[in-house]
Amino acid sequence: NISPSNQVAVLCNAPDCVGPLASSIGTFVVTNAGTNQIVLTATDPAGNVSFATASFFVDNSPPLFGLAPIPSPARRSVLISYALFDNYSAIADIVVTGDAGPYSFDGVYAVPFTARDEAGNTTSRTARFVIDKGPPVITLSPLRGFYHNSNVTLAIRVFDAVTPSNSIVVAGNYGPYTNEGTNTASFTARDEASNAATLNFRFVIDK
């Protein structure tokens, strides 16, 4: 068996056991990691001798557990992958808890994982990433009608499900627009995942 510590318990329960192990559990400290074998010798007052052999593993090292890099913000669904290695436990015998996905909805994620080897040693990791597949939403602050008898200065609002509004890059001409006739304005908003949205509209100035 693989032992999670370096202690081996020994029980002497024969009727003529004497000393500190008589009818009790004694402990030997084994410091070598890996495969160990110990031979126990018991001698009673009459000189009778018995032998016992025990073989075991000592494994105090947690498994090596690494998460694959995740591009963030991601513009697609995310499936988390990882790599495992352990000095003594087979990869198939290491228990990994955590939801690898896939994750499809826009949002900020922190997904915990734990790898546990046969000896009970654990390693924990957290996958942190952002999914942002949708473009920002651009809205025009209300203009008073389609026709205007004075210069026009525009104002817009932007919103994104993931990227804060103050981190959205907006390109466009806010004005003031002074030329009479039909004017065309265009604004493009780009979030941190490079998703972009464009708003085009027209209005007339007649002074």
Side-chain angles (χ1 to χ4, degrees):
N1 296 325
I2 296 180
S3 173
S5 67
N6 58 357
Q7 295 186 342
V8 179
V10 180
L11 175 64
C12 178
N13 56 9
D16 53 356
C17 278
V18 296
L21 298 184
S23 301
S24 63
I25 295 179
T27 300
F28 292 86
V29 177
V30 181
T31 59
N32 294 329
T35 303
N36 290 268
Q37 185 178 66
I38 60 173
V39 178
L40 303 176
T41 302
T43 304
D44 65 15
N48 300 304
V49 180
S50 293
F51 298 92
T53 301
S55 297
F56 55 90
F57 281 87
V58 172
D59 181 5
N60 285 326
S61 300
L64 299 178
F65 180 41
L67 298 173
I70 302 173
S72 183
R75 298 178 64 185
R76 54 175 176 76
S77 298
V78 170
L79 181 64
I80 302 170
S81 58
Y82 51 80
L84 288 170
F85 175 79
D86 192 83
N87 288 327
Y88 303 109
S89 297
I91 298 302
D93 294 326
I94 299 175
V95 178
V96 177
T97 57
D99 186 358
Y103 294 88
S104 301
F105 296 105
D106 284 7
V108 179
Y109 293 84
V111 184
F113 287 85
T114 298
R116 183 183 302 273
D117 65 18
E118 287 186 282
N121 302 303
T122 61
T123 300
S124 296
R125 297 284 184 266
T126 300
R128 302 181 187 277
F129 57 93
V130 173
I131 296 177
D132 188 357
K133 297 185 290 185
V137 176
I138 309 174
T139 57
L140 178 67
S141 293
L143 288 175
R144 293 183 177 178
F146 182 72
Y147 294 93
H148 302 267
N149 60 4
S150 62
N151 297 338
V152 172
T153 299
L154 300 175
I156 64 168
R157 298 174 182 174
V158 291
F159 170 79
D160 189 83
V162 178
T163 302
S165 296
N166 58 3
S167 297
I168 298 174
V169 177
V170 179
N173 182 10
Y174 294 90
Y177 291 84
T178 60
N179 294 332
E180 289 194 282
T182 301
N183 289 263
T184 300
S186 178
F187 289 90
T188 298
R190 188 178 304 275
D191 65 19
E192 291 180 330
S194 295
N195 302 303
T198 299
L199 175 66
N200 298 309
F201 58 95
R202 297 185 301 168
F203 56 93
V204 172
I205 296 177
D206 183 4
K207 297 184 286 188

